[in-house]
Amino acid sequence: MSVTKKYFAFLQEKMDEIVEKQTPNIEKAAELVANSCENGGRFYVFGSGHSHMVAEEIYIRAGGLGYVKGILPPELMLHEMPNKSTWLERLDGYSTALVDLYKIDEKDTIMIISNSGRNNVPVEMALAAKAKGAKVIAMTSLRHSKQVTSRHSSGKRLFEVADVTLDNCADKGDACFYVDNFDVPTGPTSDATGIAMAQALIVTVIDRMVKDGYQPPVFKSSNVDGADDYNNELFDKYYGYWK
């Protein structure tokens, strides 16, 4: 078997594990999100470093839910400078300010994505959001997180704060596929599995809301004729105000 096929088989094993073990948690998380959306709240998503890609994937895109509000400060992404987001993710006080800035409250649900779940910013964001009464969904690697200590003063890791945890089933260190005759692991899995789980969550939320009698706002592709006017109405309704 070629190394390409071996990696896809390796990734498929992760996906099969998620389907088997995480479907109930995705459905629990969807219930929290649907309850927020049906009762005047929002679904906030946050991730730093590579994890921001999972958050961004379900924010204002084709098939995306109009209630999703992305918390995506550029300084916590990777495109500005190597290690910048890594260092900033270990700061105290940063997330408390973000939770206040985005006006997160008891009507809302927030999903925080962090593979290790140990750094100050994601842990503090979970604690600050819960202090406001919001529900917290963690997307993390339990294999990794349970083998490390928290860097936050609370001593807690993200999964220990969350109401529901979605385990991406990544191995410790994320990059965990080995090429023959090479001793540095490659082929990280958390983004591929994380995006799949995030989209499964959105699909499940939409299904739940429809069954509850709602017609949830869902974006169409801007590259489909006639979609611009349709999407602009959603932007005006759901993004024309701060909260």
Side-chain angles (χ1 to χ4, degrees), residues 164-218:
V164 178
T165 295
L166 307 182
D167 183 6
N168 64 28
C169 297
D171 292 331
K172 185 180 180 181
D174 199 4
C176 47
F177 180 82
Y178 285 88
V179 172
D180 290 344
N181 302 312
F182 189 68
D183 62 0
V184 180
T186 185
T189 61
S190 66
D191 292 333
T193 59
I195 286 172
M197 283 198 294
Q199 291 294 4
L201 175 60
I202 294 299
V203 168
T204 308
V205 170
I206 292 169
D207 178 70
R208 160 70 186 270
M209 293 187 72
V210 171
K211 288 176 178 175
D212 287 347
Y214 292 83
Q215 289 296 302
V218 176

Side-chain angles (χ1 to χ4, degrees), residues 209-228:
M209 293 187 72
V210 171
K211 288 176 178 175
D212 287 347
Y214 292 83
Q215 289 296 302
V218 176
F219 292 105
K220 296 180 181 180
S221 170
S222 297
N223 295 310
V224 173
D225 291 343
D228 286 348

Side-chain angles (χ1 to χ4, degrees), residues 86-148:
T86 299
W87 294 344
L88 289 177
E89 194 180 18
R90 299 177 186 178
L91 291 178
D92 288 327
Y94 191 96
S95 287
T96 301
L98 286 176
V99 167
D100 289 341
L101 182 65
Y102 281 83
K103 305 183 187 304
I104 295 173
D105 64 28
E106 71 280 354
K107 296 188 299 296
D108 301 321
T109 297
I110 182 169
M111 181 165 70
I112 302 167
I113 304 109
S114 172
N115 197 59
S116 72
R118 70 184 306 201
N119 287 312
N120 304 48
V121 163
V123 173
E124 182 181 87
M125 182 165 287
L127 290 168
K130 291 204 77 169
K132 298 285 189 179
K135 298 296 185 182
V136 174
I137 301 166
M139 184 183 290
T140 191
S141 164
L142 290 180
R143 286 192 183 103
H144 189 141
S145 197
K146 288 183 176 181
Q147 295 184 62
V148 297

